[in-house]
Amino acid sequence: MKEFRRDLNMQNCRVLIAKIGLDGHDRGARIIMSFLKDNGFEVIYSGLHNTPSQIIEISAQEDVQALGVSILSGSHLESMRVLLPMVREVFGDKFLVFLGGVIPSKDHQALMDLGVDRVFGHEETLSDLVLWLKNEVSKRGLVN
Amino acid sequence: MLEESLRLGKSITAILNSEEQDELDFSKNWNSHVVKIGITGGSGAGKSSFINQLAKRFLESGFSIAILLIDPTSRLTGGALLADRVQLDSELSSRKIFTRSLATRKASDGLPERIIPILHFLENQNFDLIFIETIGIGQDSIAIRDVSEILITLPSGDVGDILQFFKIGVFEVSDYIFFNKSDLLDGEKTVKTENIISEYLSTKQWDDRQPPLAFYGNTIHGDGIDEIFQSLHEGIQERFKHAKL
């Protein structure tokens, strides 16, 4: 068998893609998951309609190093105001949180101030996400 | 439960990353107070939603439960999409049951690398039941038999003719066959499948082994689940009684 196509051992980087609250649109999340898998990540999907504390429990059980939340319902500020303090309390700073979905650029700064590591807008590509994730993972020493 | 989730989650990662060799003889030294239920079958057969239905009932009966959900690693990229949690009730799988998704990584028999030490670890964590869901399998993946006390196989969709049953290795080592989505086939087909399964069970030479028990139902609507749950529950109670002697 050919050696896996990878520079870092991305297998040891587990990413949870989560949907939060009353938001039933996950086509974008599915595309993100497929792309991350094709770039060597182990991706876990939470399924729809999770509460912040469910997302924290799942992250703990699955021992992920990064959490991507997809929000298309307009509730990104409210949701992150609840989720982010919990994330930082439980996992500290050695844990990445990124956001995608429908998030107006005027809200990006407020989200970063809440502790989100990166917000991806519609003008960014899938490769931007992978590049950023790989960089952050190696910079912060998140994989063995 | 959060502290427990963190501790168990980290411990399993540590086992996955350790360099120790697996114990070769894994038929021995299982904890007799824990029952491991293997769930196997083709992809899309309904394994995860079947676990969801069973786990709900065992939880209501006071059992403490862990679930391992296994999905395949891509041979091309090393990546994996672990999406079985989607079929589970979030509140149960995140807050009342310890649930962990595992990729097969370099293993080739439908079970992940280091499954034996992971199971040994979980057996010593006060669980009564451990569900192990394999990846979707074809005709000859029976490694799950060696790590489970009870093995349930879900044939996928239209099972074909009786020769398929004679060929497929996993049926002859199963304790139960749950024919999911049996209501979705038209009446004639359901009857045909039931005939095939009963012909299979009665024709095959079982020697001193117990032939698998066959159940029919639908894991989404919950049809047929109470029946198989009752049979499992009785068997497990019996096993616990003996384990304590």
Side-chain angles (χ1 to χ4, degrees):
Chain A
M1 195 206 307
K2 272 191 275 179
E3 240 332 272
F4 294 143
R5 181 186 79 199
R6 62 186 179 219
D7 35 355
L8 270 166
N9 188 1
M10 279 307 153
Q11 235 172 30
N12 291 341
C13 181
R14 291 164 59 91
V15 183
L16 175 66
I17 299 295
K19 291 291 300 183
I20 193 167
L22 290 174
D23 175 1
H25 302 282
D26 67 348
R27 181 168 293 190
R30 289 188 231 169
I31 289 168
I32 298 284
M33 289 187 279
S34 163
F35 200 74
L36 289 175
K37 178 196 170 183
D38 289 344
N39 279 274
F41 291 88
E42 279 186 6
V43 191
I44 295 120
Y45 182 35
S46 71
L48 300 170
H49 310 314
N50 291 279
T51 65
S53 58
Q54 285 171 347
I55 291 174
I56 298 289
E57 286 282 353
I58 296 172
S59 303
Q61 293 177 353
E62 300 287 1
D63 194 25
V64 294
Q65 288 76 46
L67 166 65
V69 189
S70 154
I71 306 181
L72 290 86
S73 64
S75 70
H76 43 277
L77 283 169
E78 290 79 1
S79 300
M80 291 306 113
R81 265 185 213 119
V82 180
L83 182 68
L84 255 298
M86 294 166 89
V87 166
R88 295 305 170 207
E89 189 196 329
V90 176
F91 303 107
D93 289 331
K94 274 198 126 187
F95 187 92
L96 294 167
V97 181
F98 58 97
L99 276 192
V102 179
I103 307 199
S105 41
K106 68 176 174 55
D107 291 339
H108 286 202
Q109 193 52 50
L111 290 163
M112 304 289 271
D113 292 344
L114 286 169
V116 175
D117 293 295
R118 177 81 188 254
V119 183
F120 287 92
H122 55 266
E123 69 284 1
E124 278 160 301
T125 65
L126 290 163
S127 304
D128 291 337
L129 165 64
V130 168
L131 199 63
W132 175 79
L133 205 48
K134 285 189 174 179
N135 276 337
E136 289 298 313
V137 162
S138 87
K139 202 164 76 190
R140 300 197 196 191
L142 299 183
V143 290
N144 321 14
Chain B
M1 170 153 180
L2 182 56
E3 265 173 43
E4 194 64 358
S5 296
L6 282 165
R7 185 180 68 80
L8 295 173
K10 289 257 174 252
S11 303
I12 289 179
T13 303
I15 295 170
L16 284 169
N17 293 342
S18 79
E19 299 291 322
E20 266 172 59
Q21 287 297 306
D22 288 359
E23 286 169 61
L24 287 177
D25 186 1
F26 45 76
S27 55
K28 288 180 191 152
N29 303 324
W30 292 120
N31 184 336
S32 61
H33 294 275
V34 184
V35 176
K36 301 186 293 306
I37 303 181
I39 310 286
T40 192
S43 40
K47 298 183 290 297
S48 308
S49 50
F50 182 62
I51 290 181
N52 189 48
Q53 292 281 5
L54 282 185
K56 215 184 292 178
R57 286 165 175 78
F58 276 111
L59 209 57
E60 281 164 11
S61 308
F63 285 75
S64 138
I65 302 171
I67 301 177
L68 295 178
L69 301 166
I70 302 161
D71 269 323
T73 293
S74 161
R75 297 282 166 194
L76 295 179
T77 65
L81 177 50
L82 311 170
D84 288 329
R85 286 192 93 102
V86 175
Q87 309 299 336
L88 305 180
D89 178 331
S90 242
E91 186 59 14
L92 295 187
S93 62
S94 68
R95 319 260 295 191
K96 300 200 167 113
I97 297 174
F98 176 78
T99 310
R100 175 68 175 238
S101 314
L102 295 169
T104 52
R105 299 201 176 172
K106 284 178 183 155
S108 58
D109 52 7
L111 294 177
E113 286 183 345
R114 322 242 353 113
I115 183 74
I116 307 295
I118 289 171
L119 287 171
H120 273 299
F121 166 75
L122 286 176
E123 279 197 332
N124 292 309
Q125 308 300 320
N126 293 323
F127 293 117
D128 305 313
L129 278 187
I130 302 173
F131 285 97
I132 310 159
E133 178 186 329
T134 70
I135 65 169
I137 57 147
Q139 296 180 324
D140 189 34
S141 306
I142 58 168
I144 182 69
R145 175 72 276 181
D146 297 328
V147 298
S148 32
E149 280 80 33
I150 298 171
L151 180 59
I152 309 174
T153 300
L154 281 72
S156 50
D158 192 350
V159 291
D161 64 11
I162 185 121
L163 294 174
Q164 294 300 328
F165 269 81
F166 287 133
K167 287 197 292 184
I168 296 172
V170 75
F171 290 129
E172 65 179 359
V173 295
S174 298
D175 301 299
Y176 290 88
I177 296 174
F178 185 80
F179 189 76
N180 190 25
K181 310 180 198 180
S182 55
D183 57 332
L184 295 185
L185 300 174
D186 59 52
E188 203 183 317
K189 240 181 188 167
T190 311
V191 173
K192 192 175 141 227
T193 305
E194 293 193 19
N195 289 343
I196 288 175
I197 292 179
S198 68
E199 190 187 341
Y200 168 73
L201 293 174
S202 59
T203 318
K204 194 178 158 54
Q205 182 153 355
W206 297 96
D207 297 326
D208 52 354
R209 283 169 302 138
Q210 179 76 29
L213 299 170
F215 288 86
Y216 301 82
N218 185 306
T219 57
I220 301 296
H221 309 133
D223 303 335
I225 305 285
D226 285 333
E227 288 80 0
I228 190 168
F229 166 73
Q230 201 182 344
S231 170
L232 284 164
H233 191 254
E234 281 165 15
I236 289 167
Q237 296 291 28
E238 195 64 23
R239 188 182 284 271
F240 281 157
K241 230 188 291 169
H242 289 300
K244 276 164 197 151
L245 290 175

